[in-house]
Amino acid sequence: MFHPRPFVKTRFAPQGAVACIQAISTFYYTIAFRIHAEFQLNEPPHFPFWFSPGQFTGHIILSKDSSHVREFKLFVPNNRSLNVDMEWLYGASESSNMEVDIGYLPQMELEATGPSVPSVIHDENGNVIDSRDPSGEPIQFVFEEITWQREIPWEEAARKLEVAMYPFKKVSYLPFTQAFERAKAEKKLVHSILLWGALDDHWSLVKELEELQSNSENEFYSKLAALHLEKYTFPVEMIICLPNGTVVHHINANYFLDITSMKPEDVESSIFSFSSNFEDPSTATYLQFLKEGLQRAKPYLQT
């Protein structure tokens, strides 16, 4: 148990847990899972302190009759430079500030050291038998090696869980440098979403771009990172740029939210106007942002 105050339903979406069958044998299932949970580290009279890992993932090998567990592992992925969000209050009034930080967990996991032992043992006729031998020692179980009849790779299972949590990820997202290599080859624009902290997704992290900018081994990648960071404003910046990294359009998330929260008649800018084709102001405004980016890029793409 990590902490006595877990919340298996997080404050923000996507919430809950998803799972899929990764492998099947005659007697066992391997079930891959992903859980979005967080912890409240403080209790009254202390002010709230939320500790929110990007995700918990792992697998369980479970007998088909649910009598025992062969394997269990749950962990926070550590393959990204940042993977945990922390938020805490400095006061109880509405004007109190919420402090936010993001960090890195090198290891946070739970793993079973061996198969579980059934609490009740039945013989071949279904009768309950003593769980101890005549000498009083617990009966020792011998487990055979599992032969899987059908299975999918862990990467495929993790991808299915990710898409279940984030349906927009049905669209393939590329890492920062790969996106520009693809754009250069296909003569297309790059749409980037640059965040101060991205947790477990594939959007660009400010910290990673800062490291890329200081990398003297590849001047092109360093320049790409510098051009993005030049336009970045906390917390999230949406960017449209050419294959060479030139930014043709960008909008900050805070400004975007301000625009979409206004009434259509109060929006003065023609750039981010509402469309009658969409009832959702956010969708209409973001579509207009993308169209404006394409329009601004035309002179460059035609040369």
Side-chain angles (χ1 to χ4, degrees):
M1 187 174 183
F2 293 121
H3 195 272
R5 287 184 295 279
F7 283 73
V8 293
K9 187 172 183 179
T10 53
R11 292 163 297 154
F12 308 110
Q15 300 166 313
V18 291
C20 70
I21 295 177
Q22 184 186 349
I24 300 174
S25 76
T26 304
F27 300 107
Y28 292 95
Y29 293 119
T30 296
I31 300 173
F33 57 82
R34 174 173 177 150
I35 303 169
H36 287 189
E38 58 188 351
F39 302 93
Q40 176 51 246
L41 302 188
N42 285 343
E43 57 183 338
H46 301 293
F47 296 123
F49 190 117
W50 293 97
F51 186 85
S52 309
Q55 62 162 300
F56 292 94
T57 191
H59 74 277
I60 181 171
I61 298 180
L62 180 69
S63 63
K64 288 185 175 181
D65 63 2
S66 301
S67 63
H68 64 282
V69 173
R70 280 288 294 267
E71 288 184 16
F72 174 82
K73 184 175 183 179
L74 175 148
F75 64 97
V76 174
N78 60 3
N79 58 319
R80 299 300 302 272
S81 58
L82 299 170
N83 61 0
V84 60
D85 178 79
M86 293 159 285
E87 300 180 14
W88 62 97
L89 283 175
Y90 272 124
S93 66
E94 292 185 2
S95 60
S96 299
N97 289 330
M98 168 73 81
E99 293 292 328
V100 180
D101 201 357
I102 193 166
Y104 177 71
L105 283 170
Q107 183 178 27
M108 186 175 187
E109 66 179 43
L110 292 174
E111 185 172 8
T113 57
S116 65
V117 177
S119 57
V120 178
I121 305 173
H122 298 85
D123 62 18
E124 57 186 9
N125 297 318
N127 300 313
V128 177
I129 61 176
D130 196 339
S131 61
R132 296 181 178 274
D133 62 24
S135 65
E137 293 296 322
I139 293 177
Q140 298 297 315
F141 289 84
V142 177
F143 293 93
E144 296 180 353
E145 190 72 23
I146 301 174
T147 301
W148 298 108
Q149 298 164 335
R150 286 184 293 163
E151 61 182 318
I152 60 174
W154 166 255
E155 292 76 14
E156 183 179 345
R159 171 68 179 168
K160 290 179 181 292
L161 300 177
E162 182 179 54
V163 171
M165 281 291 194
Y166 301 100
F168 68 84
K169 287 202 169 183
K170 293 176 182 178
V171 177
S172 297
Y173 287 78
L174 295 174
F176 184 78
T177 54
Q178 290 183 26
F180 283 93
E181 296 293 346
R182 175 79 68 84
K184 185 178 180 181
E186 299 182 7
K187 297 181 180 179
K188 293 182 179 179
L189 302 176
V190 175
H191 178 27
S192 300
I193 301 176
L194 182 57
L195 300 93
W196 177 61
L199 298 181
D200 67 303
D201 55 48
H202 290 88
W203 295 338
S204 300
L205 282 169
V206 169
K207 184 176 185 295
E208 292 176 353
L209 291 196
E210 288 174 342
E211 294 173 355
L212 191 62
Q213 181 183 18
S214 61
N215 185 354
S216 58
E217 296 180 1
N218 193 312
E219 292 185 4
F220 177 61
Y221 290 164
S222 177
K223 177 186 175 183
L224 291 177
L227 290 171
H228 270 62
L229 292 171
E230 186 179 280
K231 301 296 183 182
Y232 173 75
T233 303
F234 180 86
V236 180
E237 196 78 25
M238 288 80 86
I239 298 172
I240 298 173
C241 56
L242 304 178
N244 65 3
T246 301
V247 175
V248 295
H249 203 10
H250 64 101
I251 180 174
N252 184 263
N254 287 339
Y255 178 67
F256 175 79
L257 292 174
D258 288 342
I259 289 292
T260 56
S261 65
M262 296 172 64
K263 295 180 180 179
E265 58 268 23
D266 295 333
V267 180
E268 297 179 0
S269 173
S270 61
I271 296 178
F272 302 110
S273 59
F274 295 101
S275 168
S276 59
N277 296 327
F278 292 95
E279 294 182 0
D280 177 29
S282 298
T283 302
T285 303
Y286 205 83
L287 180 62
Q288 189 63 31
F289 161 69
L290 295 176
K291 287 181 177 179
E292 182 70 16
L294 290 172
Q295 190 66 30
R296 294 186 182 190
K298 277 186 178 180
Y300 300 95
L301 297 177
Q302 292 172 351
T303 57

